[in-house]
Amino acid sequence: MHEIIAAQADLADRTIKNSWPAWLDILQSSTGLFLALFMWGHMAFVASILLGETAMWTVTKFFEGYFIFGKSHPGLVSCVVAFVALVFVAHALLAMRKFPANYRQCRAILCHAKAMRHEDSTLWIWQVCTGFLLFFFVSAHLYQMFVWPQNIGPYASSDRVWSDGLWPFYLTMLLAVELHGGIGLYRLALKWGWPNAPRGVLRTLKWGLTAFFLVLGLATLAAYMKIGFEHGGHYGERYMPDWAAAENTSQGDGQ
Ligand code: HEM
């Protein structure tokens, strides 16, 4: 009897001590939530191109501190990129725990989802596949933004998208990000119970948000492609509104 009680106490003790998986899960959820919310803000800033070149130039210059210091500091953008990259790496590392580790596990989850025709299991598989793609795409994107933050702007970005031929890269990343983020937020809501709504309502909300950001993202990409196409003959030339050009002729500051 004594042995059983001791064994039970030992088990309870180990269970309490082993709270690591729960903490890692909380960390994974919070880094995912941060990245999803960041993407909403990011999409709004990048989509400013839909309001015209001057709107996007203003957003770019705001992040470079131009309106505070009277001079552009692209290094400020690199600092933000470095922070986002850290969160991204942490999120990816934590997510790796959930990836199928070998062929047998892979086959098991695929058979399971197929046999059950369970929508949430199928969504999970999509999330793993898009997450895997994002390892490569987002790393390359963040590297570029970190090393060449001065090459962000209405013409510089459009040249990259069109003349440098990166639009297929952005199109793939956009599809992967929106699917991954939408499914991720839906799973977070189910897991932590906020908003505490029925599964059907959450699913509708999820697809609504995904559709909204996909349409906005595609329209944004089309705008960069169009500007890049029209600007092709002046590749490398930077955009600057007339008033700023007059102020900065001596510094050659602008995008
Ligand atoms: C602070 C970090 C980031 C900065 C400064 C940044 C900046 C930009 C800029 C300026 C563009 C327009 C195209 C270009 O200039 O190359 C862009 C496009 C894009 N970025 Fe980022 N980005 C950041 C982080 C991320 C992350 C973490 C993701 C994904 C998880 C992401 C996904 C995308 C996508 C999908 C597009 C294409 C959007 C479209 O054309 O509709 N970005 N980003």
Side-chain angles (χ1 to χ4, degrees):
M1 188 64 181
H2 276 305
E3 283 97 50
I4 295 174
I5 294 172
Q8 275 178 345
D10 184 44
L11 184 68
D13 199 33
R14 269 189 285 147
T15 311
I16 291 166
K17 271 188 196 146
N18 196 8
S19 54
W20 267 103
W23 282 113
L24 293 180
D25 238 27
I26 291 173
L27 210 58
Q28 188 180 356
S29 293
S30 39
T31 49
L33 181 65
F34 170 85
L35 288 169
L37 296 181
F38 167 80
M39 278 317 288
W40 287 2
H42 168 285
M43 194 47 89
F45 301 137
V46 174
S48 58
I49 196 71
L50 294 170
L51 302 176
E53 282 95 338
T54 307
M56 201 247 173
W57 179 89
T58 309
V59 171
T60 309
K61 290 292 150 190
F62 171 79
F63 284 108
E64 290 177 357
Y66 180 77
F67 300 112
I68 299 169
F69 307 111
K71 192 175 178 302
S72 291
H73 294 283
L76 292 175
V77 177
S78 294
C79 293
V80 178
V81 178
F83 179 72
V84 173
L86 268 180
V87 180
F88 174 72
V89 169
H91 183 70
L93 257 179
L94 291 163
M96 273 170 59
R97 296 173 306 141
K98 308 272 175 85
F99 273 45
N102 53 41
Y103 173 70
R104 267 181 60 193
Q105 288 184 1
C106 229
R107 212 182 51 178
I109 177 72
L110 287 176
C111 291
H112 174 80
K114 204 169 154 193
M116 288 197 10
R117 290 172 189 269
H118 184 237
E119 192 180 328
D120 283 4
S121 300
T122 312
L123 284 179
W124 185 81
I125 293 171
W126 272 101
Q127 210 191 0
V128 171
C129 295
T130 51
F132 185 69
L133 264 186
L134 289 174
F135 271 131
F136 308 101
F137 281 74
V138 175
S139 304
H141 178 51
L142 287 179
Y143 179 78
Q144 235 181 6
M145 296 296 125
F146 179 74
V147 179
W148 300 289
Q150 71 280 14
N151 290 348
I152 297 176
Y155 287 167
S157 293
S158 303
D159 283 347
R160 178 167 34 245
V161 168
W162 183 258
S163 300
D164 292 343
L166 277 192
W167 65 265
F169 171 91
Y170 280 114
L171 183 61
T172 316
M173 183 163 67
L174 178 68
L175 294 173
V177 164
E178 294 314 336
L179 279 176
H180 189 85
I183 299 171
L185 282 178
Y186 166 69
R187 294 177 62 83
L188 276 188
L190 285 180
K191 193 170 195 170
W192 304 106
W194 194 89
N196 194 7
R199 194 175 285 247
V201 175
L202 288 178
R203 249 182 226 161
T204 313
L205 202 65
K206 175 199 114 51
W207 285 118
L209 277 173
T210 303
F212 173 76
F213 282 105
L214 263 183
V215 170
L216 184 65
L218 288 173
T220 301
L221 189 57
Y224 283 113
M225 288 168 75
K226 179 173 176 288
I227 296 172
F229 174 72
E230 289 165 358
H231 188 247
H234 300 274
Y235 179 88
E237 185 187 85
R238 300 303 162 84
Y239 178 83
M240 198 186 286
D242 294 341
W243 65 266
E247 264 182 21
N248 292 295
T249 36
S250 56
Q251 293 175 17
D253 191 12
Q255 298 295 318

